[in-house]
Amino acid sequence: MSVVVTNPLDIKCPKNICQSKIIRKNAATLVYRQPRVPLPGIGETTVEEGKTFDVPQEITKLLPPETESVNGWFWLLTDMFHFENIGFSHVDDGQKYLSCADCDLAPLGYHDTTVVNANEKEYLIAINRVAYIK
């Protein structure tokens, strides 16, 4: 049986002038996933390829010791109503991108409309595309 790891900090929009709370502390589960379609760069009007944000030590210490990169690690929610604040894009190749509902910063994560695990949908927020409230 594997250990379930939840987010030890509140998760917020990384944009300095927004900082809207997205997920409450201990509401999401840490998982590793490889999206079918890679997430595009993050930005408002222009795509900044590969732009990510620093992941605090409180989060990186939760990853397995052999982990070399934070890429592919996500916070998982199985119900869209468990978010505090999130926006959804239209479906693009079976995938919806998740954004901050207040400032539209995107993509923070994704929802693959073709994947259902144990009759539950997966809403995934990349651990390196958000900020954390300590």
Side-chain angles (χ1 to χ4, degrees):
M1 182 175 178
S2 62
V3 176
V4 174
V5 177
T6 60
N7 55 308
L9 304 169
D10 287 334
I11 297 170
K12 65 181 180 174
C13 176
K15 191 173 179 180
N16 286 335
I17 62 171
C18 179
Q19 308 243 333
S20 189
K21 189 183 294 184
I22 295 171
I23 302 173
R24 282 191 180 151
K25 179 180 176 178
N26 296 320
T29 304
L30 185 65
V31 296
Y32 184 83
R33 297 286 187 272
Q34 288 291 40
R36 273 185 319 103
V37 180
L39 294 178
I42 193 167
E44 295 169 87
T45 55
T46 60
V47 173
E48 299 175 49
E49 280 303 321
K51 171 122 187 198
T52 58
F53 299 90
D54 291 334
V55 179
Q57 184 178 0
E58 293 92 338
I59 306 303
T60 57
K61 73 180 183 182
L62 301 173
L63 302 176
E66 67 277 4
T67 302
E68 295 178 12
S69 170
V70 296
N71 293 330
W73 289 96
F74 293 87
W75 295 114
L76 165 70
L77 290 175
T78 57
D79 186 333
M80 64 189 236
F81 295 108
H82 291 166
F83 284 101
E84 293 298 305
N85 174 26
I86 201 74
F88 291 84
S89 70
H90 294 288
V91 176
D92 181 18
D93 196 20
Q95 199 159 274
K96 289 184 177 187
Y97 295 110
L98 307 182
S99 65
C100 174
D102 284 344
C103 73
D104 293 325
L105 184 67
L108 302 178
Y110 73 101
H111 165 60
D112 188 333
T113 61
T114 66
V115 174
V116 176
N117 289 323
N119 294 322
E120 293 184 331
K121 296 179 180 181
E122 291 191 344
Y123 302 93
L124 299 149
I125 297 291
I127 69 170
N128 61 344
R129 290 184 177 227
V130 292
Y132 298 87
I133 302 171
K134 296 183 181 184

